[in-house]
Amino acid sequence: MTRVALIDDHESVRLGLEAALARTQATTVVFSGANVAAYLTWRQSAAETPADVVVLDLTLGDGTTVSENVDRVVRDGSSVIIHSVADRAGAVREALAAGAAGIVSKSSPTHEVLGAISTVARGELLDNVEWASAVEGDRDFADAQLSAREREVLRLYAAGLPLKAVAERLGVAYSTAKENITRVRVKYVEVGRPAPTKVDLLRRAMEDGILQDAPDDVGRG
C-alpha cells in the first residue's frame, strides 16, 4: 500500500485526487492540506512516518518557493511529484534541482496521475513530456547543477540583499553564505557561463528561472 500526501492550496484539486485514489486498492491518502508546513506539523504531532509519495503543487499561496518546499519534503524522507499546469519552466527546473522525481500536468487524465504515483513509489523517476520540455531547452542550467541551498542563496543575493542579510534570512553563518556564492560562481565557470560580478549573477539567476524580474537595487552590493 502506497501512502500518499496531497499538498495543494486548491481544495477542489485535493478532493478530486482523494476521490480518485480512494477508488484504488494500491494507495491510501494519509494527509491532505494546503502547504508543506501543515504536512510536517501533522507528521510530528501524529508521530507518522513520512508519506511514500507527496503530490505537491508547483506554487502554493503561502509565500514559499518550490525549491524550499521540495527540499523540505525530500529531506523529510518522501518522494515528490509536482502536480501543476507546468506553465513556468523556470519553476519546474527549480523543482528538479531540489530533488523532485517528476511532474504531472493538472490537465492529465486521472489514470496518468495514478500511474505516476505508482512509478515514483517504486523508486523510479518520471519520464514524461512536461518534465522533458522544461529541461530540454536549457542544457546549461542542467549542467550547472546548483543545489537547493545554492539556488536560494543566489536568489536572495541576486535580488539585492547584502550577503550578511542573506545569511541572516536563511539562518546560516556569513561564512556559509559566502561559501555558497563561491561555489555558485565556480559551477557557472565550469559550464562556460562565468559570473564574476553581482550583475552577472543576476543574469544567471534570471536565465535559469531562479529570479523572475530584475530588482531595482541589484548592483549596489
Side-chain angles (χ1 to χ4, degrees), residues 72-89:
R72 291 180 73 187
V73 173
V74 170
R75 286 178 180 273
D76 188 57
S78 301
S79 297
V80 175
I81 293 175
I82 297 296
H83 190 224
S84 170
V85 291
D87 59 352
R88 292 176 53 210

Side-chain angles (χ1 to χ4, degrees), residues 93 132-141:
R93 292 196 297 270
S133 63
V135 246
E136 184 65 27
D138 194 346
R139 287 300 182 186
D140 287 334
F141 173 91

Side-chain angles (χ1 to χ4, degrees), residues 154 158 185 188 193-207 218:
L154 173 58
R185 284 192 163 114
Y188 277 126
R193 301 165 67 199
T197 70
K198 194 167 187 177
V199 172
D200 292 321
L201 285 172
L202 167 62
R203 293 194 184 100
R204 300 296 170 257
M206 294 186 68
E207 288 167 359
V218 168

Side-chain angles (χ1 to χ4, degrees), residues 36-173:
V36 170
Y39 165 68
L40 295 177
T41 298
W42 165 79
R43 271 249 304 110
Q44 293 168 359
S45 62
E48 290 279 352
T49 57
D52 299 309
V53 179
V54 172
V55 181
L56 174 69
D57 192 11
L58 186 66
T59 305
L60 301 175
D62 60 351
T64 56
T65 66
V66 64
S67 58
E68 67 184 291
N69 284 330
V70 172
D71 182 61
R72 291 180 73 187
V73 173
V74 170
R75 286 178 180 273
D76 188 57
S78 301
S79 297
V80 175
I81 293 175
I82 297 296
H83 190 224
S84 170
V85 291
D87 59 352
R88 292 176 53 210
V92 172
R93 292 196 297 270
E94 283 188 50
L96 173 61
I103 182 168
V104 177
S105 173
K106 286 185 175 179
S107 63
S108 298
T110 303
H111 70 86
E112 290 187 10
V113 181
L114 300 181
I117 291 172
S118 297
T119 297
V120 171
R122 293 194 301 268
E124 302 172 18
L125 299 178
L126 296 184
D127 181 16
N128 55 19
V129 174
E130 289 89 355
W131 199 240
S133 63
V135 246
E136 184 65 27
D138 194 346
R139 287 300 182 186
D140 287 334
F141 173 91
D143 291 342
Q145 293 296 309
L146 301 185
S147 69
R149 172 65 76 188
E150 288 164 353
R151 291 170 64 77
E152 189 64 8
V153 171
L154 173 58
R155 184 181 71 82
L156 294 172
Y157 185 60
L161 286 181
L163 204 49
K164 183 179 179 182
V166 172
E168 292 173 352
R169 177 80 63 90
L170 297 178
V172 300

